[in-house]
Amino acid sequence: MDSATLDVLDLRLLHALQLDGRAAFSRIADVLGVSDRTVARRFSRLRGTGIARVAGVTSSHRVGHAEWLVRLRALPPAVAPLAHALARRPDTAWVTVASSGTEVICIFRVAGEGPAPLGALGRLPQVTQVDAQRLLRPVMSHRWIGRTSALSDEQITALRPAVTTENAPVALTDLDHRLLPALAADGRAAYPELARHVGWSESAVRRRLDELRRSGVLQFDVEVDSGLFGFFVQCLLWLTVVPARLDGIARTLAGDPEAAFVGSTTGPHNLIAIAVCRDAGALHTYLTDRIGSLEGVDRVETVMITSYTKRAAPAM
């Protein structure tokens, strides 16, 4: 896939880090056929210029957390401050400004089966409407292919870590509560730095990080804007689907090259997807030719994503 500003090595490095965010530069260099110094220098440039960073992401399912998709409509002057305030909260992820700055959409992660913490939000005078739907089941097991299509199958196999088969929730320890936020801020932080940050020994940090990865509690994501790959339009699709066809349509959409996320929800819409397209014309074609051809889709609401205030990690 061609990139607007990234060269071939950048694309391969970003793909490699998406497979294993903490892979040693020497290992990546060996797979890519370049020197360790070249890989380290490239990543330093990508991170230093704000193009990309690696963030540790906690699996809500593995730690027994519910995810609530919350949509807030507000007066335009209040949207940016509201988005930044939500991004600073430790219980939020994926804070976006949508519809040209007239609404904020985010995910709250709540312990157990608790409700979304909406009390304070509803009392803000600038907020005109609040909607909350429970995310029931993410369908996609892969990232948007626009940023994971630079490596060969052999290179992917060489870099991909082992996948856990465990499903039971994992109880987080005191060390976890210190370690996971540090990894969210910098997924490639060195072990000595992590040890100083959490106040535990380097050996304990190394051991626990490995355990969290093997159990599936901790994964790593590369945060990079799709515009750098030449795809400038991102759109939320709220779909109302005939229940009997929900699983089939969700799996179908998850296989589309435009799909960045697909999941089932509660509420008047029972399926949400994020489509990434080159431009508005490509989005129109996707909606009419692809979504419009799916039998069982009764209604679609589209919401253009204006900007991201927080993806998986805390705002920098």
Side-chain angles (χ1 to χ4, degrees):
M1 179 169 291
D2 294 334
S3 166
T5 59
L6 304 172
D7 65 20
V8 172
L9 182 55
D10 291 332
L11 296 173
R12 290 174 178 170
L13 173 56
L14 291 172
H15 190 174
L17 290 170
Q18 189 64 72
L19 293 168
D20 185 352
R22 287 191 67 85
F25 287 145
S26 59
R27 181 179 169 213
I28 296 175
D30 183 59
V31 172
L32 299 187
V34 296
S35 70
D36 301 11
R37 181 174 296 181
T38 296
V39 171
R41 186 170 59 247
R42 284 300 182 100
F43 179 72
S44 178
R45 178 182 67 83
L46 292 171
R47 194 182 193 286
T49 55
I51 291 175
R53 67 167 168 168
V54 177
V57 181
T58 305
S59 168
S60 295
H61 169 69
R62 297 294 286 121
V63 300
H65 284 182
E67 292 188 334
W68 286 89
L69 188 67
V70 176
R71 184 176 181 183
L72 301 107
R73 294 178 177 85
L75 301 177
V79 165
L82 176 61
H84 286 288
L86 289 169
R88 288 192 294 269
R89 293 179 59 126
D91 58 351
T92 61
W94 197 78
V95 180
T96 66
V97 174
S99 302
S100 292
T102 59
E103 57 183 304
V104 179
I105 301 169
C106 69
I107 292 175
F108 277 96
R109 291 171 171 163
V110 181
E113 294 294 333
L118 302 180
L121 299 177
R123 290 194 295 269
L124 295 175
Q126 303 92 338
V127 175
T128 59
Q129 185 175 343
V130 180
D131 297 316
Q133 278 81 43
R134 170 74 185 275
L135 279 171
L136 299 176
R137 181 182 298 173
V139 176
M140 289 180 61
S141 59
H142 60 276
R143 304 297 184 185
W144 173 58
I145 66 169
R147 54 192 174 111
T148 56
S149 57
L151 300 179
S152 68
D153 291 342
E154 292 77 13
Q155 290 172 319
I156 292 172
T157 300
L159 287 167
R160 177 177 283 154
V163 179
T164 181
T165 57
E166 300 179 35
N167 290 310
V170 174
L172 297 181
T173 67
D174 179 62
L175 173 56
D176 297 338
H177 288 295
R178 298 167 182 257
L179 182 59
L180 291 172
L183 288 167
D186 182 2
R188 289 192 63 86
Y191 289 109
E193 179 184 346
L194 290 171
R196 289 192 298 271
H197 182 86
V198 303
W200 287 59
S201 70
E202 184 178 337
S203 60
V205 168
R206 184 184 297 269
R207 183 170 57 252
R208 187 54 180 163
L209 195 156
D210 289 342
E211 292 170 350
L212 291 170
R213 296 193 70 182
R214 286 197 305 271
S215 67
V217 170
L218 177 64
Q219 300 170 341
F220 292 93
D221 188 36
V222 181
E223 298 188 351
V224 57
D225 191 88
S226 64
L228 295 170
F229 299 87
F231 290 75
F232 299 100
V233 170
Q234 296 190 48
C235 187
L236 274 162
L237 311 179
W238 307 78
L239 296 93
T240 304
V241 178
V242 175
R245 296 185 177 272
L246 182 60
D247 284 344
I249 288 176
R251 289 193 297 270
T252 296
L253 293 179
D256 287 351
E258 294 84 357
F261 177 83
V262 180
S264 59
T265 74
T266 61
H269 310 285
N270 53 6
L271 191 65
I272 182 173
I274 300 174
V276 181
C277 300
R278 287 195 179 275
D279 52 32
L283 174 62
H284 173 83
T285 300
Y286 182 65
L287 292 172
T288 56
D289 294 357
R290 180 53 166 163
I291 303 298
S293 69
L294 296 174
E295 186 177 351
V297 176
D298 285 344
R299 183 170 177 266
V300 180
E301 180 184 357
T302 56
V303 179
M304 297 287 282
I305 295 174
T306 304
S307 63
Y308 285 89
T309 308
K310 180 179 186 180
R311 296 178 191 262
M316 296 182 72

